[in-house]
Amino acid sequence: MATIQVRNLSFTYPLADDPALKNVTFTVSQSEFVVLCGKSGCGKSTLLRHLKKNLTPYGRADGNVLYDGQEVAGLDDRINAAEIGFVQQNPDNQIVTDKVWHELAFGLESLGMDNKTIKRRVAEMASFFDIQTWFRKNVSELSGGQKQLLNLASVMVMQPKVLILDEPTSQLDPIAASEFLKTIYRINRELGTTVIISEHRLEELFTMADKVMVMDKGSLIAFDEPWNIGNFLAGDSPEKRHPMFYGMPAVMKIYSHCRAEGVPRYIREGREMSPLTIRDGRLWMESFLGDDYEEGCRHKSETEQEPQREEIIRIKDLWFKYSKDSGNVLRGLNLSVRKGELFCLLGGNGVGKSTTLKAVSGAVIPQHGSITVDGMKVKKENFKELFNNRLAMLPQNPQALFTEITVEEELLEALYFEKISDEEKIDKIEKILKMMEITHLRKSHPYDLSGGEQQRLALGKILLLDPKILLLDEPTKGLDPFFKITLAEILKKLTSSGVTIFMVSHDVEFCAEYADRCAMFFDGDVVSEGAPKEFFAGNSFYTTSANRIVRKWFPDGLTWEEVAEWAERASAK
Amino acid sequence: MFKEGLGETSSFAGCHPAVNLIFFLFAIGITMFSTSPAFLAVTLVFSWLYSILLNGRKAIKTNIVFTLPIIVIMAGINTLFTHNGATVLFYLNNSRITLEALLYGLAAAVLLSSVIVWFGCFNVVITADKLIYIFGKAAPVLGLTLSMIFRFIPLLKTRFKEISMGQRCMGRHVSGGFIERIRQYTKEVSILISWSLEAAIETSDSMEARGYGLPGRTSFHLFKFTPTDKALLTGISVSGIIAAVGCALGKTSIYYYPKVVFGHWDVFTTVTFAAYAVLLAIPIVTDIFGEIKWQQYRLEI
């Protein structure tokens, strides 16, 4: 039975030249789990919003969207509110009330249910989501992951038949995101709710999905079972690869690459399947390598000794706690960052990574120890000098910086206190616009940009201050894989021009590919550090997924390209 | 037990909001219309007792800090500027300073300070949750609005912190004179406003997606009306109504001008006085009783 049917849907925003959706047709059956993927700005959100009556964007639409055989636009308001659930990106902005229990009840209050019925339904949902322990808390005390779980629960309490999620984990850290996705999976399996979810984090979703939809520039280019998607996007040769290919899980990228190069295929239950999990990936490699395969040499010698560059940030024996009674967040931290490198500090939630960054920028004053930045101690008397062409930090939310109504003016605002001529200012701005690849957006309002574009604008604004050292707090949060590649290129350009970048991140894949040095943070101190190769080869779990597949044979392989090439060579032997 | 105060965990604060609200309506309402020294003394003593019970030792300090200036200022001003009254104490620059004016000033000051102390207790007992419930009963939209305000205050605070930090890391707000600082603050507030307005679009989407705006909205709450609540509510209502009737008949007031006249202390005044004292004692007795029970329970374990 078809729950959602979309027929020849086209949509154009007012004043836009090109349609945001072009002739989209698909059917989602009852209790299916569908993943929608595509580049930022390809029309994913526009499409999803068409499935809910009051969220449908304004503009010119053709075609039909049917829910249970009925036009969505003509649905009864109560059915629309209760049966189609919608969860958006930002955990904070969706919460309406001050208490967890009240938020859970919000939708049921709207439907006009009595106290007893609401209580029963809320109790059920709180138990299903394991919310009981924080049921009476204030929403402001929750973590980002809990907030998003609350948003999901307060939609589920209305017992929707269809659940639509628009990039729900983009603002969460990897562990909270994985927790959230597992809950979605449970909802689909245990309650039979139809799920349509758009996401960038595909590693896990591909193993859960019944079907994957791929969108490109407003058209639906593929709608198939997950294992076929990789091969479809890979094309016949590297040149013919669809850009979306780079957003696929590492296992699929490796497999598709190898498949095109003639490496034996993965046969399971008598038919070919593209591996989706790390386990599948290993089994597949096992099948063509055999048990006794051993890689001849570890490329120990390859890591050539670089000349020791000068230290630009030096942290010595740093101790910090937020209040007298709380535990220490930093415990005797020693760390140094060298000039012109991209240094990544990795680690789980709440281990003190962000606090370290705050200490370097002077936002918190440690109780013991010292920080020297570019030969200058971080302390109150030095702040003016420190932030004068020395140190700059990009906040996690780029909105925290935006004051003007166009991108150009936003950048000009950064130069407000600089004593240089207007021509020079314009010159500088032009350069930054080009470097950040946002020249075409110069007249847009900062809030009209997508998340990735806002990130680049904020970074551009910071760079106009001409800092020698750049501090970044989770810069890859909420970015799609393509923006990540662009961001990496920008960061590389900066480091090669002598800027030092100190970045705090959860994003293992990004750090493995682009960092010069990585450090693992745990319990207030750095526990291991080194160049990505040695750093990740020494870890067994905390490493890239490509590395987890092949670490038995090829511990140095970090990125999927390295692994794919190695697999090709290995199978030829 | 009384060092820190019972706060929100006290037995009376754990009662149904209706019980709390009706108590405070009676207590504060009758206090506001009483000028008789006997009634003022009762309300002053009980308000202090309850305040200390709720807030512990620190209540003594805060109450003195808040009420002493009021008493001094009000008694002073009334004595200096009101020249009514028969008993002249002395002349100041040819103005009569009378005993009646001084006494009336004192009585009004005691009244006002008791009301303030009662409101201090109200603040502890009627939490945000209860306020939302009470307003929600009157009109669901009102309750929801309050709840949204309580949600937004901490949210705006965190956002403002992040903005300030972002600006600081751009080298702004680090130094500068008064004008510079005002300018910087204005900028930060303007960022906060545009950010919040932008975010509010998503909030309204999320509200509408969950059916906000459908007719017949209800207001959910977690409060239970227990037999204890019923008993307390009966006690409060009976004593409160008797005291209120007495108050309406003028049993709780006296005349100060031109001479202080204590009204005739009849049986009904006694009944009013007793009812008023019982009313004001109810929360204190409930709390102490609850505390004793708790101590016994702890000893039994």
Side-chain angles (χ1 to χ4, degrees):
Chain A
M1 199 180 93
T3 315
I4 285 185
Q5 257 182 304
V6 175
R7 281 198 224 119
N8 302 322
L9 180 68
S10 297
F11 178 79
T12 315
Y13 279 103
L15 303 177
D17 300 326
D18 296 316
L21 295 176
K22 291 176 210 154
N23 235 343
V24 176
T25 303
F26 65 90
T27 306
V28 176
S29 318
Q30 206 183 340
S31 299
E32 249 184 336
F33 193 122
V34 178
V35 175
L36 175 59
C37 57
K39 259 177 149 170
S40 284
C42 71
K44 295 196 300 286
S45 292
T46 312
L47 178 60
L48 290 182
R49 281 175 163 264
H50 270 93
L51 306 181
K52 175 104 180 163
K53 184 180 165 191
N54 47 21
L55 296 181
T56 312
Y58 290 107
R60 204 162 40 92
D62 290 309
N64 313 78
V65 184
L66 304 179
Y67 166 73
D68 243 351
Q70 247 189 321
E71 280 279 350
V72 165
L75 271 184
D76 177 65
D77 279 328
R78 280 178 198 275
I79 292 181
N80 172 56
E83 295 192 3
I84 306 176
F86 200 98
V87 178
Q88 307 173 74
Q89 238 184 63
N90 192 306
D92 261 316
N93 297 350
Q94 294 173 73
I95 296 177
V96 178
T97 62
D98 62 333
K99 294 278 180 196
V100 171
W101 60 264
H102 200 175
E103 189 63 25
L104 284 173
F106 183 85
L108 302 176
E109 286 181 336
S110 300
L111 295 179
M113 293 188 177
D114 60 59
N115 220 49
K116 217 174 146 194
T117 325
I118 296 185
K119 197 156 197 178
R120 187 172 147 197
R121 288 246 205 134
V122 163
E124 264 185 327
M125 264 311 128
S127 314
F128 186 83
F129 283 92
D130 205 20
I131 288 179
Q132 310 94 309
T133 47
W134 37 284
F135 183 64
R136 277 175 187 264
K137 270 196 180 173
N138 283 325
V139 289
S140 54
E141 294 166 42
L142 306 182
S143 69
Q146 286 178 320
K147 280 179 189 162
Q148 196 63 312
L149 216 53
L150 172 62
N151 285 322
L152 178 63
S154 51
V155 163
M156 285 311 295
V157 84
M158 302 177 78
Q159 303 178 347
K161 294 193 177 134
V162 182
L163 186 61
I164 301 163
L165 305 107
D166 190 5
E167 295 187 22
T169 67
S170 70
Q171 302 294 315
L172 308 183
D173 64 77
I175 292 144
S178 151
E179 206 60 39
F180 185 85
L181 294 179
K182 275 180 201 137
T183 312
I184 302 281
Y185 189 59
R186 247 185 88 203
I187 288 172
N188 177 256
R189 292 297 133 131
E190 294 179 17
L191 307 177
T193 313
T194 313
V195 173
I196 305 176
I197 178 171
S198 78
E199 255 308 332
H200 294 313
R201 215 184 293 260
L202 299 172
E203 298 276 329
E204 277 161 273
L205 274 179
F206 264 56
T207 61
M208 303 175 179
D210 294 317
K211 274 181 176 170
V212 176
M213 268 192 236
V214 185
M215 274 186 88
D216 188 22
K217 297 190 190 87
S219 317
L220 197 61
I221 56 168
F223 185 34
D224 209 337
E225 292 175 334
W227 33 85
N228 291 325
I229 291 288
N231 299 334
F232 166 78
L233 292 172
D236 309 325
S237 63
E239 292 78 42
K240 280 189 190 158
R241 272 177 201 159
H242 190 272
M244 251 323 282
F245 175 74
Y246 296 97
M248 293 294 120
V251 199
M252 291 184 79
K253 283 189 282 199
I254 297 168
Y255 182 75
S256 300
H257 175 94
C258 291
R259 188 174 177 265
E261 300 297 331
V263 176
R265 298 182 177 188
Y266 182 51
I267 311 291
R268 209 173 71 185
E269 290 154 17
R271 66 176 183 139
E272 188 201 349
M273 263 191 209
S274 173
L276 293 175
T277 59
I278 305 287
R279 189 188 65 140
D280 284 346
R282 275 213 192 162
L283 289 176
W284 163 58
M285 290 205 175
E286 207 99 35
S287 73
F288 68 82
L289 289 173
D291 296 334
D292 48 351
Y293 181 85
E294 256 176 60
E295 173 79 339
C297 58
R298 267 198 68 190
H299 308 276
K300 196 74 188 174
S301 55
E302 212 181 282
T303 50
E304 75 267 30
Q305 274 296 313
E306 261 188 73
Q308 286 279 333
R309 284 183 282 193
E310 70 173 287
E311 286 178 356
I312 196 155
I313 303 178
R314 172 112 198 85
I315 301 177
K316 253 175 140 174
D317 195 30
L318 209 60
W319 290 80
F320 176 76
K321 49 181 165 183
Y322 278 95
S323 69
K324 213 177 132 197
D325 311 321
S326 66
N328 279 306
V329 183
L330 304 179
R331 299 165 186 271
L333 169 66
N334 285 300
L335 185 72
S336 61
V337 180
R338 303 201 190 105
K339 201 177 170 187
E341 70 176 356
L342 173 54
F343 182 85
C344 292
L345 197 57
L346 291 144
N349 257 345
V351 291
K353 296 188 315 281
S354 291
T355 312
T356 310
L357 213 54
K358 279 185 190 160
V360 174
S361 70
V364 298
I365 308 291
Q367 280 90 21
H368 184 81
S370 72
I371 306 167
T372 321
V373 173
D374 198 19
M376 186 173 276
K377 283 243 153 59
V378 176
K379 55 182 178 187
K380 215 158 194 162
E381 301 85 73
N382 289 342
F383 277 176
K384 199 169 178 198
E385 274 296 294
L386 265 176
F387 289 110
N388 190 11
N389 301 353
R390 251 200 193 93
L391 198 60
M393 180 166 149
L394 184 68
Q396 258 195 41
N397 289 313
Q399 290 98 317
L401 290 179
F402 297 159
T403 48
E404 308 299 321
I405 54 163
T406 66
V407 168
E408 283 176 319
E409 286 174 56
E410 196 61 63
L411 293 173
L412 191 62
E413 200 267 344
L415 297 172
Y416 187 80
F417 292 103
E418 301 279 311
K419 290 178 186 70
I420 50 171
S421 71
D422 286 354
E423 284 77 39
E424 273 178 84
K425 284 185 182 175
I426 291 171
D427 219 46
K428 274 189 159 187
I429 289 170
E430 291 296 331
K431 256 196 213 146
I432 288 288
L433 282 172
K434 223 189 227 149
M435 185 174 185
M436 296 295 145
E437 301 173 28
I438 45 177
T439 316
H440 58 291
L441 299 165
R442 59 193 307 160
K443 296 286 179 203
S444 327
H445 193 287
Y447 278 106
D448 290 339
L449 308 184
S450 73
E453 290 161 350
Q454 282 185 347
Q455 184 85 293
R456 282 187 283 170
L457 173 58
L459 184 59
K461 197 171 173 184
I462 293 287
L463 287 177
L464 280 170
L465 301 168
D466 218 10
K468 274 196 211 164
I469 302 149
L470 194 60
L471 307 178
L472 304 174
D473 196 356
E474 303 275 359
T476 56
K477 199 175 177 183
L479 296 189
D480 74 23
F482 320 99
F483 274 131
K484 277 190 197 172
I485 296 172
T486 321
L487 179 73
E489 281 163 6
I490 293 169
L491 296 184
K492 280 282 160 203
K493 261 187 247 166
L494 285 173
T495 47
S496 61
S497 69
V499 178
T500 310
I501 301 175
F502 180 9
M503 138 178 176
V504 155
S505 183
H506 274 119
D507 195 334
V508 175
E509 312 278 331
F510 186 86
C511 295
E513 200 158 350
Y514 305 108
D516 292 317
R517 245 156 26 97
C518 296
M520 173 90 175
F521 206 83
F522 182 73
D523 197 28
D525 196 9
V526 167
V527 288
S528 66
E529 80 176 273
K533 279 249 156 25
E534 26 177 322
F535 177 79
F536 287 108
N539 296 349
S540 5
F541 308 107
Y542 206 77
T543 177
T544 63
S545 37
N547 185 257
R548 269 181 280 161
I549 301 170
V550 295
R551 58 177 301 109
K552 186 168 153 193
W553 308 288
F554 177 46
D556 282 353
L558 286 186
T559 63
W560 74 268
E561 280 114 331
E562 286 168 357
V563 171
E565 270 163 36
W566 167 84
E568 213 184 301
R569 269 185 287 120
S571 71
K573 273 188 200 168
Chain B
M1 145 183 179
F2 296 114
K3 205 171 139 194
E4 293 301 319
L6 299 172
E8 283 177 38
T9 58
S10 74
S11 309
F12 188 67
C15 288
H16 194 268
V19 180
N20 301 148
L21 183 73
I22 289 173
F23 168 75
F24 280 108
L25 282 181
F26 275 127
I28 295 173
I30 295 171
T31 303
M32 285 205 290
F33 292 101
S34 306
T35 53
S36 153
F39 284 88
L40 284 178
V42 169
T43 188
L44 186 70
V45 167
F46 278 104
S47 65
W48 275 66
L49 279 180
Y50 193 38
S51 166
I52 293 166
L53 189 66
L54 286 178
N55 294 320
R57 239 186 259 163
K58 63 175 190 289
I60 301 175
K61 203 178 140 202
T62 25
N63 286 353
I64 288 176
V65 167
F66 271 99
T67 58
L68 207 62
I70 292 177
I71 294 183
V72 171
I73 292 170
M74 281 194 68
I77 287 181
N78 199 57
T79 338
L80 291 177
F81 292 96
T82 314
H83 306 303
N84 285 341
T87 327
V88 179
L89 292 174
F90 56 90
Y91 283 89
L92 194 75
N93 284 345
N94 291 333
S95 326
R96 286 144 45 94
I97 302 297
T98 66
L99 178 67
E100 283 78 13
L102 175 67
L103 290 178
Y104 186 75
L106 278 176
V110 169
L111 189 159
L112 190 65
S113 59
S114 325
V115 169
I116 289 175
V117 176
W118 276 125
F119 266 112
C121 301
F122 179 91
N123 214 7
V124 177
V125 173
I126 307 277
T127 52
D129 267 9
K130 291 185 186 167
L131 213 60
I132 290 167
Y133 169 75
I134 290 163
F135 278 99
K137 274 282 152 189
V141 181
L142 227 56
L144 179 65
T145 313
L146 261 187
S147 170
M148 288 175 77
I149 291 171
F150 289 127
R151 148 102 186 104
F152 274 108
I153 293 167
L155 186 66
L156 293 184
K157 266 193 198 155
T158 13
R159 277 191 191 139
F160 192 73
K161 255 191 212 153
E162 192 172 348
I163 293 169
S164 285
M165 193 163 108
Q167 290 290 311
R168 232 175 45 89
C169 293
M170 283 179 73
R172 309 272 171 85
H173 207 310
V174 172
S175 63
F178 181 69
I179 301 283
E180 283 293 301
R181 262 189 218 178
I182 293 282
R183 204 197 209 152
Q184 185 57 33
Y185 268 117
T186 323
K187 174 167 281 168
E188 285 173 18
V189 170
S190 113
I191 299 177
L192 179 68
I193 291 172
S194 40
W195 184 1
S196 302
L197 286 179
E198 204 56 38
I201 297 175
E202 253 180 72
T203 313
S204 78
D205 274 349
S206 137
M207 287 171 76
E208 226 183 321
R210 283 183 283 156
Y212 185 72
L214 290 174
R217 189 182 159 77
T218 51
S219 181
F220 177 63
H221 62 84
L222 293 174
F223 297 108
K224 268 190 201 159
F225 198 77
T226 61
T228 321
D229 290 324
K230 201 173 169 188
L232 281 174
L233 193 62
T234 317
I236 289 171
S237 306
V238 169
S239 57
I241 287 168
I242 295 172
V245 169
C247 180
L249 293 174
K251 299 290 174 196
T252 65
S253 306
I254 59 164
Y255 293 104
Y256 281 87
Y257 300 119
K259 263 187 105 58
V260 177
V261 180
F262 291 94
H264 175 61
W265 190 283
D266 52 14
V267 180
F268 195 53
T269 316
T270 315
V271 171
T272 312
F273 187 78
Y276 193 42
V278 167
L279 171 73
L280 298 187
I282 284 174
I284 300 175
V285 172
T286 315
D287 284 358
I288 291 176
F289 197 66
E291 203 60 22
I292 290 170
K293 233 175 152 183
W294 187 236
Q295 298 286 350
Q296 277 174 350
Y297 176 69
R298 276 222 309 239
L299 287 178
E300 275 166 29
I301 299 174

